[in-house]
């Protein structure tokens, strides 16, 4: 059966900015950022497999690799500033390690490189993401996707986060749980060593909140001291879902970072040589 073309939001003209959303989200989370940047950039925000308006071709493969193929096809060869939140941050890091020549900069909000958070480097409060993922996965495998969705949403959004969702939102997340668990499996199975991220030479901005699960704050902090060209910014009042529930300050930090890099790149470009005056005979 013919596979429909993936849904991608695009706006603006100029240097490319590629935005990758979190698990259970969609490209819609980046609409305010697109509005902020589209006057000077071409902003590209795909729906990942089984999210938003995109289907999942199935096959039971590694979710990160499946989404990598989608992103590579959409992004093409043109270099881009790459922005990722949570699972989208893990995908952005894989893209950067695989295709560094295509990445002008990285902006990561609490990237879901949970294999680092679940390692012996982290404390027990940070490693709890492994227990949460295992518990939610057992519920999905037993067919209880609704309780799995409740546990997933409450962990990342805070107590009663599930109850704050509308009925259509609850149904959507419940239906997505098998794919969300594929995300968990893929990020926990990642074997990229920490030292590999030290080889990423592009400028990077590591963003994190100050409340909620510590795993995302830990990965942002760890990467900020590992990658060679990083800025870091913490939002004390925000949690893991800060880019969604409190988008304005996060998006402004992202836009300021990309604008500053673009200004620096423009300043480094050599001035055009003046045309020679015609000779006088």
């Amino acid at each position: 059966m013919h596979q429909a073309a993936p849904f991608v939001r695009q706006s603006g003209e100029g240097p490319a900015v590629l935005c990758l959303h979190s698990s259970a989200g969609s490209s819609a989370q980046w609409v305010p950022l697109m509005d902020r940047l589209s006057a000077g950039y071409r902003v590209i925000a795909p729906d990942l497999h089984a999210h938003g308006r995109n289907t999942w071709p199935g096959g039971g493969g590694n979710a990160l690799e499946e989404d990598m193929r989608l992103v590579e096809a959409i992004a093409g060869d043109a270099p881009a500033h790459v922005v990722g939140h949570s699972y989208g941050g893990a995908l952005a890091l894989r893209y950067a390690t695989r295709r560094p020549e295509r990445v002008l900069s990285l902006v990561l909000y609490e990237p879901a490189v949970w294999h680092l958070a679940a390692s012996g480097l982290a404390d027990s409060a940070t490693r709890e993401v492994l227990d949460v993922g295992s518990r939610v996965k057992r519920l999905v495998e037993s067919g209880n996707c609704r309780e799995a969705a409740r546990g997933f949403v409450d962990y990342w959004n805070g107590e009663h986060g599930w109850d704050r969702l509308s009925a259509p939102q609850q149904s959507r997340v419940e239906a997505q749980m098998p794919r969300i668990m594929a995300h968990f499996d893929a990020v926990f199975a990642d074997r990229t060593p920490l030292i590999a991220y030290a080889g990423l030479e592009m400028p990077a901005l590591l963003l994190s909140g100050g409340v909620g699960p510590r795993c995302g704050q830990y990965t942002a902090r760890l990467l900020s001291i590992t990658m060679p060209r990083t800025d870091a910014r913490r939002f004390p009042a925000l949690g893991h879902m800060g880019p969604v529930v409190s988008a304005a300050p996060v998006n402004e930090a992202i836009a300021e970072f990309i604008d500053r890099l673009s200004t620096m790149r423009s300043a480094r470009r050599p001035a055009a040589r003046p045309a020679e005056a015609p000779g006088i005979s």
Side-chain angles (χ1 to χ4, degrees), residues 185-258:
D185 288 343
V187 296
F188 283 128
D190 193 349
R191 294 295 178 264
T192 305
L194 181 62
I195 191 65
Y197 301 122
L200 295 176
E201 297 289 343
M202 69 285 294
L205 175 63
L206 275 296
L207 303 173
S208 63
V211 297
R214 287 176 50 189
C215 52
Q217 300 166 43
Y218 173 82
T219 59
R221 184 171 64 252
L222 185 61
L223 289 167
S224 72
I225 62 176
T226 300
M227 296 166 65
R229 299 177 62 191
T230 58
D231 292 336
R233 182 163 176 183
R234 185 170 177 264
F235 297 88
L238 301 187
H240 185 70
M241 298 308 294
V244 177
V245 300
S246 299
V250 176
N251 288 341
E252 191 59 28
I254 295 170
E256 288 176 357
F257 178 74
I258 293 174

Side-chain angles (χ1 to χ4, degrees), residues 19-247:
C19 300
L20 305 174
H21 64 77
S22 62
S23 288
S26 75
S27 59
Q29 85 167 74
W30 298 118
V31 168
L33 181 62
M34 298 178 83
D35 292 341
R36 170 65 173 79
L37 291 176
S38 59
Y41 302 90
R42 180 170 66 94
V43 190
I44 308 161
D47 283 345
L48 301 176
H49 287 306
H51 285 68
R53 303 185 198 180
N54 280 351
T55 58
W56 175 36
N62 181 286
L64 276 169
E65 286 301 312
E66 291 173 341
D67 286 325
M68 262 289 293
R69 289 192 289 273
L70 183 150
V71 169
E72 287 178 321
I74 288 167
D77 295 330
H81 301 280
V82 182
V83 180
H85 168 216
S86 193
Y87 175 77
L91 185 58
L93 279 166
R94 180 160 295 201
Y95 185 70
T97 55
R98 189 80 54 84
R99 300 287 189 181
E101 74 284 356
R102 295 185 182 182
V103 180
L104 296 173
S105 72
L106 277 173
V107 182
L108 309 171
Y109 190 103
E110 297 196 359
V113 280
W114 302 146
H115 67 292
L116 299 179
S119 72
L121 298 171
D123 61 24
S124 59
T126 302
R127 292 196 301 269
E128 73 177 7
V129 66
L130 181 59
D131 295 332
V132 171
S134 298
R135 186 163 62 249
V136 172
K137 184 177 181 179
R138 287 194 296 272
L139 287 167
V140 171
E141 290 176 340
S142 70
N144 195 347
C145 286
R146 189 164 185 83
E147 282 307 303
R150 179 188 296 275
F152 173 81
V153 170
D154 282 351
Y155 181 69
W156 295 115
N157 292 267
E159 189 177 8
H160 305 304
W162 175 257
D163 295 330
R164 290 192 293 270
L165 297 181
S166 66
Q169 288 174 320
Q170 290 180 349
S171 296
R172 176 179 58 78
V173 178
E174 180 181 354
Q176 287 178 309
M177 288 312 299
R179 185 61 180 176
I180 291 169
M181 284 300 97
H183 289 178
F184 265 80
D185 288 343
V187 296
F188 283 128
D190 193 349
R191 294 295 178 264
T192 305
L194 181 62
I195 191 65
Y197 301 122
L200 295 176
E201 297 289 343
M202 69 285 294
L205 175 63
L206 275 296
L207 303 173
S208 63
V211 297
R214 287 176 50 189
C215 52
Q217 300 166 43
Y218 173 82
T219 59
R221 184 171 64 252
L222 185 61
L223 289 167
S224 72
I225 62 176
T226 300
M227 296 166 65
R229 299 177 62 191
T230 58
D231 292 336
R233 182 163 176 183
R234 185 170 177 264
F235 297 88
L238 301 187
H240 185 70
M241 298 308 294
V244 177
V245 300
S246 299

